[in-house]
Amino acid sequence: MQHGKYRFIVGFLVVPMALYVIFVIWPFIQSIYYSFTDWTGLSPDFKMVGFDNYTKMLDDDIFWKSLQHSVMLAILLPLVTLGLALFFAFMLNVGGRRRKGAAIAGVRGSGFYKIAYFFPQVLSIAIVAILFQFAFDPAQGMINGTLKAVGFDDVPTWLGDPQLALWVVMAVLVWCTTGFFVVLFSAGMASIPKDFYEAALLDGASRFTTFFRITLPLLWDTVQSGWVYMGILALGAEGFAIVHIMSVGPGGPDYSTTVLPLYVYQSAFRDGQAGYATTIGVALLIVTLAFAAIVMRVGRRERLEF
């Protein structure tokens, strides 16, 4: 009977595991292999160059700038996004005034707010980037037009300013990702028994206290997973798409918005250095794995059940 059970399990796992190895693991192995070559990406001919690409990468100022920007996004983007999402979700579920028959309730119109917060998730990331590119246009954009209308003549150039460009990109990423976590955290808060909150309020606890003593500890696993997800998102496709579409260059001005995924793309398809691009990709893989491991280790807590 046991042998039959194992054959049954293996029969279900062999196909998805084979697909995972072919389409996920094997490309990683290929990337590591090509990082030791001078492959241009345009020709099947290449030769092994050992650690030359890695030496070049460590001496590359643009790589270090890109790494700094990517790490900033991976740290600050989850912090701001998850913080806002927790605040909004708490207000939508617990932060309202007492009503007849309900000691715990969200603010009025919470259903509408959830839809409004989630709306950016419906839009493609490319559409979001194009919309905000027009909005931040220094000459004809809505934001500078509004500032001029209320009396500000010395308006910033936003994406043209090396000191502001990365912060603008980060603000757009926060805008388009917060809504997803508002809905996610709202679902988690809805599953927390109302009795917990009512007992705390009867004991004189404030909303602030109930959030840090009840809500956050019981949602911690979800928050931790969201932090890892947001970090990977910032280091991956969404961070690349926003920067590639919105920024000057892209990646400018003066490499002020260049992130690792964009530098991989430019090295491979603009400069014809696919071997060097895969070297940067390996560094990006290491940074992503290290980030996920640190978050899971630092954020590990005893699991609470209710």
Side-chain angles (χ1 to χ4, degrees), residues 220-221 224-225 228 290-301:
W220 186 251
D221 287 344
Q224 186 183 41
S225 300
V228 174
F291 171 82
I294 291 171
V295 170
M296 296 301 291
R297 179 67 182 86
V298 172
R300 186 168 59 187
R301 294 187 180 183

Side-chain angles (χ1 to χ4, degrees), residues 43-295:
S43 169
D45 300 324
F46 58 85
K47 63 180 180 180
M48 301 297 294
V49 295
F51 288 93
D52 288 357
N53 285 330
Y54 289 91
T55 303
K56 176 183 176 181
M57 181 182 70
L58 295 177
D59 293 332
D60 188 349
D61 291 337
I62 301 175
F63 165 76
W64 289 110
K65 275 190 176 183
S66 304
L67 177 61
Q68 179 185 355
H69 298 156
S70 292
V71 171
M72 280 182 59
L73 287 179
I75 294 174
L76 296 180
L77 186 62
L79 182 65
V80 176
T81 301
L82 299 183
L84 287 174
L86 281 168
F87 171 75
F88 291 141
F90 186 76
M91 295 301 295
L92 294 177
N93 290 272
V94 185
R97 294 182 179 179
R98 294 191 181 191
R99 302 175 195 167
K100 184 182 293 186
I104 300 299
V107 296
R108 294 187 183 275
S110 57
F112 168 77
Y113 291 131
K114 288 179 184 178
I115 296 173
Y117 290 142
F118 192 75
F119 176 73
Q121 290 292 312
V122 180
L123 301 176
S124 164
I125 191 67
I127 293 175
V128 170
I130 292 172
L131 289 174
F132 276 97
Q133 186 181 42
F134 284 119
F136 282 105
D137 185 279
Q140 302 175 340
M142 179 189 69
I143 295 175
N144 277 1
T146 303
L147 292 175
K148 290 178 181 178
V150 297
F152 291 93
D153 295 326
D154 188 16
V155 293
T157 55
W158 301 112
L159 294 168
D161 187 340
Q163 303 298 323
L164 293 176
L166 188 64
W167 297 105
V168 171
V169 169
M170 193 180 302
V172 175
L173 282 169
V174 169
W175 182 85
C176 65
T177 54
T178 299
F180 171 79
F181 290 100
V182 170
V183 175
L184 180 65
F185 294 151
S186 293
M189 291 179 191
S191 67
I192 299 175
K194 299 294 185 184
D195 296 346
F196 291 5
Y197 292 109
E198 293 174 356
L201 292 176
L202 286 174
D203 288 339
S206 64
R207 301 287 185 182
F208 183 85
T209 303
T210 57
F211 174 78
F212 284 100
R213 295 292 185 178
I214 298 175
T215 305
L216 189 58
L218 293 177
L219 280 182
W220 186 251
D221 287 344
T222 306
V223 173
Q224 186 183 41
S225 300
W227 195 290
V228 174
Y229 173 76
M230 278 301 303
I232 294 173
L233 181 148
L235 292 168
E238 296 232 358
F240 163 78
I242 290 287
V243 171
H244 187 262
I245 296 172
M246 286 187 62
S247 63
V248 179
D254 192 26
Y255 300 104
S256 60
T257 57
T258 303
V259 290
L260 285 177
L262 178 64
Y263 196 34
V264 170
Y265 172 83
Q266 291 176 335
S267 297
F269 298 103
R270 184 192 65 185
D271 303 334
Q273 301 177 358
Y276 183 54
T278 57
T279 305
I280 303 170
V282 171
L284 177 59
L285 172 63
I286 294 171
V287 170
T288 305
L289 293 176
F291 171 82
I294 291 171
V295 170

